[in-house]
Amino acid sequence: MISTKGRYALRVMIDLAEHIDEDRVPLKDIAERQDISKKYLEIIVKELVSADLVKGIHGRNGGYRLSRDPKDYNVAEIIGTVEGSLSSVACLADKSYDCPRKDICKTLPMWTEFDNLIYDFFSNKKLSELV
C-alpha cells in the first residue's frame, strides 16, 4: 500500500512541474495549494532533495524546483524515493532476505508477477502525464 507520504511526494512533484516556469517555489505555497501540513512536507521534500529529484534554494527567497524536466521523471522513482520498496510482500521487499520457504512457496511466483506489473505500470507513467 502506498502511504500518504508517497501520495504527497507525488503531489509535490506535480505542483513543482505545474510551476516549472518559476525560479523557485516556496514550500508554504505548495502546502497551501495542496492542503498539506508544511511540517510534513519538509520531511518529504528533504528526501526528494537527497535523491536529487528536487533542488532546494536556500535563503530569504528560497524554495524548490525540479532537478529535471517533468518528462524525465517516472512515478516509480518518485514514490520509491519516499516509500522504499513498492513490493507487495515482505519477502520481495528485502532483496537480502533469504526466505526458507522460497523454493516451495506456491504463491511467490504470483507475488513476483504482481510486483512486476505494479513496477512496470508506475515506471511507464511520467510526471509530465500527470500535470
Side-chain angles (χ1 to χ4, degrees):
M1 179 167 76
I2 297 169
S3 71
T4 56
K5 194 174 185 184
R7 295 192 321 269
Y8 289 179
L10 197 52
R11 286 169 55 185
V12 166
M13 296 295 286
I14 291 168
D15 194 288
L16 290 172
E18 289 174 334
H19 296 90
I20 200 160
D21 293 336
E22 297 176 30
D23 185 42
R24 50 101 188 136
V25 180
L27 196 59
K28 69 175 185 54
D29 293 356
I30 299 170
E32 287 174 14
R33 283 192 295 264
Q34 297 300 321
D35 194 27
I36 302 171
S37 155
K38 185 175 175 253
K39 280 284 192 201
Y40 194 32
L41 284 185
E42 287 171 355
I43 295 166
I44 293 167
V45 169
K46 183 177 179 181
E47 292 181 41
L48 296 173
V49 168
S50 292
D52 200 33
L53 298 182
V54 169
K55 296 280 186 203
I57 299 126
H58 301 288
R60 197 174 118 201
N61 293 318
Y64 297 91
R65 67 174 182 223
L66 295 179
S67 299
R68 311 188 299 257
D69 190 277
K71 70 177 173 33
D72 296 330
Y73 293 90
N74 68 61
V75 172
E77 75 175 315
I78 296 166
I79 295 173
T81 295
V82 297
E83 293 283 352
S85 174
L86 294 175
S87 294
S88 55
V89 291
C91 61
L92 292 175
D94 182 0
K95 301 296 182 200
S96 66
Y97 177 67
D98 188 23
C99 179
R101 296 189 43 83
K102 74 178 175 188
D103 293 332
I104 60 170
C105 181
K106 302 290 186 191
T107 62
L108 184 58
M110 176 191 66
W111 294 123
T112 302
E113 183 179 358
F114 179 71
D115 284 359
N116 288 338
L117 287 169
I118 297 293
Y119 182 78
D120 289 346
F121 176 80
F122 285 137
S123 291
N124 288 311
K125 287 286 180 201
K126 300 295 182 188
L127 178 61
S128 57
E129 295 174 46
L130 302 176
V131 177

